[in-house]
Amino acid sequence: MIIDPETCMGCQACQIYCPMGAIAYLPDSGICRVNLDECVECGICLRPDPCPTDALQQQELDEIRELRRAFSNPLVPHKSTSVPGRGTEEIKTNEVTGRFKRGHAGVAVELGRPGTGTRFKDVETVAMAIAKCGVSFEPHNPVTALMTDVKTGKMRDDVLNEKVLSAIVEMVVTADNLAGVLKAIKNVAGQLDTVFSLDLACRVNPDNSAPVEEIARSVGFMPSINGKTNVGLGRPLAKED
Ligand code: SF4
Ligand code: SF4
């Protein structure tokens, strides 16, 4: 997003809409300017049409800026998956498809939030730490599509400094491997310049207990157990096995 300095009158009406604090008022010139390093191209500032002079404008985006937009604007589908938002249907939706068999768990690390965002170098740090545990990253996920080596979690060098609102590292692991993966995530957390939330999904036991809970607690996480019912949205393909 850019602001035309010739037509901006510095009213700051656009500023409050930016979740990244990327629009700054410049008192010396009496206008506002977008910090393009912080702007994630989410388009939120433009949607309410706050600018009385049309100085706030969506500039033409090159491939790299389009990448920021796809990860940050929920109205824009990703090229690699055709899914909008974070570009993945996520384990929160996909568990109804039977993707997670007994003895397996879905793991997703959701990096970034409005206000903080995340750079892909932090996403890569998490992916590379997890990859050492021998996991297979979810193929239908735009973060995986940016990896140059899915075995190591290495991502494209030219995207590492790019900032987006949020991105998800996602995989299915065996129950035997879950503790190691969670330890790797815990060990790397202090190196990140952003926040993340950790999602775990699994088939529940006949007594409704969640097999992943004890494993998560054993490595120091305190999971909050939630169920999710996708009324009308789910594909009821899961069969007892
Ligand atoms: S596109 Fe998003 S991040 Fe960029 S200035 Fe507008 S609201 Fe802020
Ligand atoms: S709303 Fe328009 S005129 Fe007002 S500060 Fe933003 S870009 Fe400038």
Side-chain angles (χ1 to χ4, degrees):
M1 196 66 60
I2 57 169
I3 290 175
D4 177 5
E6 300 300 321
T7 49
C8 175
M9 58 185 207
C11 67
Q12 297 176 260
C14 55
Q15 222 178 4
I16 56 167
Y17 295 104
C18 181
M20 299 304 298
I23 302 176
Y25 177 69
L26 308 176
D28 288 349
S29 46
I31 61 172
C32 281
R33 187 172 64 193
V34 176
N35 178 341
L36 287 175
D37 188 45
E38 290 297 316
C39 170
V40 294
E41 303 293 356
C42 66
I44 292 171
C45 55
L46 207 54
R47 255 173 253 150
D49 196 17
C51 186
T53 63
D54 291 333
L56 185 67
Q57 297 165 4
Q58 181 63 74
Q59 81 278 34
E60 198 168 317
L61 302 177
D62 61 16
E63 187 225 338
I64 290 289
R65 301 296 299 185
E66 279 287 2
L67 197 64
R68 287 190 181 220
R69 187 166 84 124
F71 274 91
S72 309
N73 185 333
L75 303 178
V76 176
H78 286 257
K79 278 188 184 153
S80 60
T81 63
S82 303
V83 178
R86 272 92 59 87
T88 166
E89 292 185 7
E90 301 177 44
I91 63 174
K92 289 179 287 189
T93 303
N94 285 351
E95 90 264 22
V96 297
T97 67
R99 183 163 65 139
F100 308 130
K101 311 293 182 204
R102 292 203 184 280
H104 290 76
V107 179
V109 184
E110 301 187 39
L111 294 106
R113 280 288 179 274
T116 61
T118 185
R119 293 193 190 264
F120 284 117
K121 59 188 169 192
D122 279 338
V123 177
E124 182 192 72
T125 298
V126 169
M128 291 187 78
I130 294 172
K132 289 184 180 142
C133 302
V135 304
S136 296
F137 294 105
E138 166 60 40
H140 203 62
N141 178 314
V143 167
T144 310
L146 290 173
M147 292 178 186
T148 53
D149 184 352
V150 293
K151 296 278 181 221
T152 63
K154 178 82 189 84
M155 300 183 71
R156 279 171 43 183
D157 285 334
D158 63 331
V159 304
L160 292 182
N161 203 36
E162 295 304 319
K163 193 165 195 174
V164 297
L165 212 57
S166 181
I168 301 177
V169 181
E170 191 180 19
M171 74 227 71
V172 179
V173 302
T174 62
D176 291 346
N177 207 6
L178 181 58
V181 169
L182 295 180
K183 279 182 196 163
I185 295 168
K186 206 172 176 60
N187 288 342
V188 90
Q191 300 172 29
L192 305 177
D193 190 25
T194 186
V195 295
F196 70 87
S197 57
L198 175 64
D199 308 328
L200 299 175
C202 67
R203 302 280 290 275
V204 296
N205 293 320
D207 65 358
N208 284 338
S209 62
V212 295
E213 183 178 9
E214 195 178 322
I215 299 170
R217 288 191 189 283
S218 74
V219 297
F221 286 101
M222 290 186 290
S224 165
I225 302 294
N226 302 299
K228 182 172 180 182
T229 305
N230 288 315
V231 179
L233 294 174
R235 287 161 287 169
L237 305 175
K239 293 186 177 65
E240 193 52 57
D241 53 16

